[in-house]
């Protein structure tokens, strides 16, 4: 087989992952697996805690990814017949982790309740139910609410 040399990038090409997309000289635009998949998911709510405690409880591996917004932690898993993803962007001002179903389901509330039960956390950790972009989402916390909820999660009761 002949050695084929691929030339390096042009000096004026920005990294393919660097916003603003499609405005630089690099003809390629790279997107993450998360960025590609997430629009297909059904958001079922948010938890006022990071991804790691849930992942530790369920012995899941937290993946580090990125999208057009920020770096993020994400876990994808199946639990009692539901396919979940839990994600948290580094720059999320409320510090919540979004809970998604990777396959839309009519019983979204039941899915979230199942997750809470298996993880061993209560309704007080739910920042809201539904979709963050849906005006019908229930109980949206303020930044102060999330902070106080995270402090209560450090109690022995929720360990």
């Amino acid at each position: 087989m002949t050695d084929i040399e691929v030339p390096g990038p042009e000096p004026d090409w920005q990294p393919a992952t660097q916003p603003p997309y499609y405005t630089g000289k690099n003809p390629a635009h790279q997107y993450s697996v998360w960025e590609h998949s997430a629009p297909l998911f059904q958001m079922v709510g948010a938890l006022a805690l990071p991804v790691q405690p849930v992942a530790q409880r369920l012995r899941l591996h937290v993946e580090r990814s990125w999208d057009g917004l920020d770096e993020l932690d994400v876990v994808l898993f199946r639990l009692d017949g539901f396919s979940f993803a839990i994600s948290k962007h580094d720059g999320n001002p409320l510090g919540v982790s979004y809970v998604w179903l990777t396959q839309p389901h009519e019983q979204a509330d039941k899915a979230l309740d199942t997750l809470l039960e298996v993880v061993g956390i209560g309704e007080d950790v739910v920042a809201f139910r539904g979709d963050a972009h849906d005006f019908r989402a229930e109980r949206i916390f303020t930044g102060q609410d999330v902070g106080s909820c995270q402090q209560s999660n450090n109690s022995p009761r929720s360990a």
Side-chain angles (χ1 to χ4, degrees), residues 39-152:
L40 306 173
F41 297 170
Q42 174 187 1
M43 185 181 291
V44 296
L47 304 176
L49 70 156
V51 175
Q52 287 80 0
V54 175
Q56 287 172 348
R57 166 74 170 156
L58 299 176
R59 295 185 180 247
L60 302 170
H61 172 77
V62 178
E63 295 181 54
R64 191 76 177 150
S65 191
W66 53 272
D67 63 10
L69 298 174
D70 207 351
E71 300 284 321
L72 62 99
D73 290 328
V74 63
V75 290
L76 291 102
F77 59 99
R78 289 191 56 78
L79 178 65
D80 200 22
F82 297 103
S83 294
F84 287 96
I86 302 176
S87 67
K88 183 189 174 302
H89 281 90
D90 288 355
N92 184 318
L94 291 181
V96 297
S97 296
Y98 294 113
V99 180
W100 313 80
L101 292 176
T102 63
Q103 299 170 348
H105 201 286
E106 292 176 4
Q107 295 182 327
D109 276 339
K110 181 179 179 187
L112 188 56
D113 290 341
T114 299
L115 176 68
L116 296 175
E117 182 180 336
V118 172
V119 174
I121 53 180
E123 186 70 29
D124 59 321
V125 177
V126 176
F128 64 83
R129 285 178 175 264
D131 189 318
H133 305 292
D134 185 346
F135 67 92
R136 293 169 293 179
E138 299 174 17
R139 205 170 128 218
I140 298 178
F141 281 164
T142 65
Q144 184 177 5
D145 292 333
V146 171
S148 65
C149 187
Q150 287 174 336
Q151 288 172 358
S152 71

